[in-house]
Amino acid sequence: RLAEQMDHVSLVRSMASKEGNHQRARYYLHTGYVPSGTVAHPDMGSLLCQQKADPAFDLPSYMAIAGPAPGPGILGVAYAPFSVANPLVPVENLSYAQGIDRPRFDRRQNLRSLLGRAFSESRSGPETRGHEAVYAKARTLMHSPRVSAFNLDEEPAAVRDAYGRNQFGQGVLMARRLIETGVKVVEVQLNGWDTHQDNFTKVKSNCDMLDPAFSTLIRELRERDLLESTLVVCMGEFGRTPKINENEGRDHFAKAWSLALAGGGVKGGRVIGGTTGDGTEVASRPVAVPELLSTIFHATGIPGDTVNYSTGGRPIYAVDSDAKPIAELFA
């Protein structure tokens, strides 16, 4: 089904990095920086929300569905993603506890603030302010009429079927609903690609979930006139070895791999770069991870030289100054 939407999707077939460890590569693909141990770099979702989100918006502007995201790092908890562990299950704690109404809830919150005031005043700092910010965001979320975006039962059965009645498919549908309400960033995870064994069975199973969800998302965003203002990126943290191992599996491979982009000004139907015939090396138009992030920031209107500072005063730029967007995607 995705093949039918490829005039709206472009492929980059020449991604390459040196990070073949899951945790390190995942951090690198989210932040554009390799883990240093001294600075917690903000991931791209947190940075996008810092630069683009309305602080008064009553839903979290960054959502992580079916798995955690690295998070805000030096930006603090105000830009942390809100996690929805399983989109097939109603989001917990959005309503009052049994026997609690709005006046009683408000009295309890006022009491909590009163009891914590002395502590907050004597230990003022980013952690304390962040703690209070989380409480404030939670209260706002509970009372927002936009929480209905989490309720997939509002969608016609045919739409839910089109995305796939599984955790990933329904997570992508939830992402579309959240984007429509004004949420800025949604990440939906589909795990199970670490196919060191039984690669062909596992990849087929995952593609049976990825194909309908990805293709229906592109189609629905286009039908709602949202595709040009919404960048869709489908990627992992690295690729898999072209060679099949003795367990009928494929191992980690960061030297040459692919990803897909659509919307956000990206011209569809294009292929950037390529590999050698055996897939073991990038043969043309190599693309490094900072270039990918530069592309994402270009598409979303974030200057690459946007800077934040660590607690020690170290400047942390959105992306390395030498990294340029993949111009062929937009020309």
Side-chain angles (χ1 to χ4, degrees), residues 5 18 52 54 79 87 104 109 129 142 196 206 215 223 235-236 263 278 306:
Q5 300 292 331
K18 296 180 179 179
K52 291 292 185 177
D54 180 0
Y79 301 105
R104 190 175 184 186
Q109 290 302 304
R129 291 192 295 271
M142 288 178 65
H196 295 285
N206 266 10
S215 59
E223 292 172 349
M235 67 179 185
D278 60 3
T306 298

Side-chain angles (χ1 to χ4, degrees), residues 20-40:
N21 169 273
H22 283 298
Q23 287 73 27
R24 289 181 60 86
R26 188 165 179 271
Y27 186 96
Y28 189 29
L29 263 294
H30 277 85
T31 68
Y33 290 88
V34 295
S36 68
T38 58
V39 175

Side-chain angles (χ1 to χ4, degrees), residues 267-317:
K267 305 300 182 184
R270 300 185 177 189
V271 175
I272 310 301
T275 64
T276 53
D278 60 3
T280 59
E281 301 281 348
V282 170
S284 63
R285 186 54 172 98
V287 177
V289 171
E291 290 177 277
L292 171 65
L293 266 71
S294 181
T295 301
I296 292 171
F297 292 138
H298 172 78
T300 52
I302 305 296
D305 59 357
T306 298
V307 64
N308 287 281
Y309 293 90
S310 69
T311 53
R314 177 181 174 182
I316 306 297
Y317 291 93

